[in-house]
Amino acid sequence: MNTLVLLIICVAILLCGYIFYGRWLCKQWGVGESKEETPAHTMADGVDYVPAKAPVLMGHHFSSIAGAGPITGPINAAIFGWLPVTLWVLVGGIFFGGVHDFGALFASIRHKGQSIGEIISTSMGRRAKRLFVIFAYLTLLLVVAAFASIVASTFGAKYDEAGALDVAASASNASVAMVSFLFILIAIVFGFCVYRRNTSMAVSTIIGIVAIIVCMVIGMNFHPIYLSTNAWMIIVGIYIAIASVTPVWILLQPRDYLSSFLLYAMLFIAFVGVVGAHPNIDPDLFPAFTSFAVDNGNGVQYLFPILFTTVACGAISGFHSLVSSGTTSKQLDKEKDAKPIAYGGMLLECVLAVLTLCAIAYARQTGHTAGATDIFAGGIAAMVAAIPGLAGLENILYTLLILTYSAFCLTSLDTATRLARFMFQEFWLEPGQTISDINDGWKKIMVNPYFSTVVTVILGILLGMTGYAKIWGLFGAANQLLAGLGLLAVATWLGKKGKNNKMFLFPMAFMMVVTISSLVLTVKNQVGLIINGTADWGPYAQTILSILLIVLSIILVIEGVQTLTKKKESRA
C-alpha cells in the first residue's frame, strides 16, 4: 500500500462523514434550532464563561483534545498492523468519537455549560452523577500527574553519575522549556490585545505567528535555565494552579488558539512529506495485519480489547467529553459552531492519526524507532527530506516537530487541571444547582475555585512525584470507560427530550464491553503478579481499582438502561 493512496482514501472517507453524517446528526438533535443564546453569553462571568470566535475556540478545543494522544495511540497499537488501526480510526472517528464529542458539547450548552455529570444528574439521578464525577475527577488527577511528570521530565536537566550537570545532554530540554514559557508570554500579550484593545484578529494572528517563530528561534539558541525535574514539577504545579483560575481570555483562549497553528503546521508538514515522498509501506517492516494476539515483550496483547483502548484519542476518548462539556461549552459563541468544533475537531484528529501511521511506516525504514517522539518526528522529517531539494531540512524539521509535540503536553495539562477543578466543584451541587446558588456554609468553601484548584494541584503533583506510573496502566481502560459513560449520558438525555438517540446505543454498548473486558484482563494479569510474589504496591492498587471500575460501570449501565427503558415505556 502506498502512503499517499492510504491518506487520500482516509481523508475522503472522513470528509464524507463530516458532511453527510454530521449534517444528519444536526437534524436529528435540532442543533441550531434554539433561539436562546449560548451559556457563554447568558452566564458570562469573564473567567470561565467567555464567548470566543469560532476559530479561537477551535484552536482551544483541538489543542486540548489532541495533545499527544493521536500520535502515541496509533504508534502503540501498530503492533497489530496498520490495517486494523486504520479501520478503527475511520469507523471510530465518524460513528463513535465524533458522535461522542459533538453530543457532549450539544448537551452541555443546553445545560448551562455544565459537565456530563450534571447531564447525568438530570437524566439518571443524583447518585449516578456523584459516581461519575468521582470517577472523572480521579481520572483527571491521573492525567494531571502524568502530564506534569512528562512536562517536567521534558524540561528537566540531566546529570552525570557524579551528580554534575551535563549541559550538552540537557540543552534540548532547556530549549523546550524556554520556548514553552516564551510562548505563554506571547499568548498573554495576544489575549490582552484582542480582548482589551480590540486589535484586529487577522492582524493579531499574523503578528502572533511571527512571534511564535521568533520565540522558537530564541529558545533554540538561548536557553540558560537548567533545573532538575523535581524543581520543574513544583514550577509546573504553580503554573497550572494559576492558569486554571485565570480568566480564559488572558491565557487559555489565546494560548490554545496560537498553539493550534503549531498543530496545523505539523499537519501541513506531514502532508507535504506524504505527498512529496509518497513512500510505499514495506510489508516486512509494517505489515497490514500481524495477529490477534501479539507478544510485545511485556506479555501477550490481544487485539480485542487492547486496540480499542490504545488508539484512544485517534478514534474516541472519554477525555474529549470532559473538554467539550467543561471548557468548550462555556466559550461557544453560537450553537451552530458546535458541529465544526466538536465533530470536525474529532475527524481532524483522525487525520493526524492516519498521518502518524504513514510516519510509522517510513520511520521503520529509516531507523527512527527510539520512542513515540522519534518515530513521529523522525518519520515525517525523513519523508520531507526525501523530496528533491529538501534534504537539508531534516534536522530542523525534526527539532521543530519535537518542540511542537512537547508543547501540547503543557496545553493538555492546564486544561485537565481546569476540568478537574470543575468536577470538584460540581460534586457538591444538587441537581439543577449552579455554583452561584451556594451562598454560605461549608459547601461555599468546597465550590470555591481557589480552594478546589489548590486541592487538585497538590494531589496531582504529589501523585506525579511519587508513583502515578504504578497505576498508569489503568488509564486506557478508565479513559474509555469515560467515553462509554459519556455516550450513555447523552443517550439518556436525548431520550428524555424525545430526540433520536439510537446512534449512541451501539457505540455505548461496544465501549462498555471493551472497557470491562480490558479491566478483567488487567485484574487477571495483576493477580498473576501478586501470586508469583513479584508485586510491589502497584499490582495491588491496579487490582482494587480495576474491580471498583468494573462495579462502577455495571451500576451506571444498569441505571442508564433503566432510564432508557422507562422512557420507552412512558412513550408507549
Side-chain angles (χ1 to χ4, degrees), residues 389-456:
L390 300 181
L393 294 178
E394 183 170 1
N395 290 335
I396 295 174
L397 291 178
Y398 181 83
T399 302
L400 291 176
L401 287 168
I402 289 180
L403 283 171
T404 302
Y405 181 88
S406 300
F408 284 99
C409 290
L410 191 60
T411 299
S412 297
L413 173 59
D414 65 53
T415 296
T417 307
R418 188 179 289 259
L419 292 173
R421 188 249 292 178
F422 292 154
M423 290 290 112
F424 188 95
Q425 291 174 290
E426 287 188 15
F427 176 81
W428 310 103
L429 302 179
E430 299 298 327
Q433 268 190 328
T434 63
I435 294 171
S436 60
D437 296 328
I438 309 296
N439 297 315
D440 52 32
W442 62 271
K443 282 190 177 182
K444 182 68 174 178
I445 297 174
M446 304 309 286
V447 300
N448 181 278
Y450 302 103
F451 177 80
S452 54
T453 296
V454 169
V455 171
T456 298

Side-chain angles (χ1 to χ4, degrees), residues 2-4 7 268-279 382-388 390:
N2 185 274
T3 52
L4 179 56
L7 180 61
F268 176 74
I269 292 170
F271 264 106
V272 170
V274 174
V275 173
H278 52 272
M383 275 193 284
V384 175
I387 301 172
L390 300 181

Side-chain angles (χ1 to χ4, degrees), residues 167-187:
V167 176
S170 305
S172 62
N173 285 17
S175 177
V176 172
M178 190 68 176
V179 172
S180 297
F181 280 91
L182 285 175
F183 189 85
I184 290 171
L185 294 177
I186 291 171

Side-chain angles (χ1 to χ4, degrees), residues 85 91 135 235 398 466:
V85 178
V91 175
F135 165 62
I235 293 171
Y398 181 83
T466 53

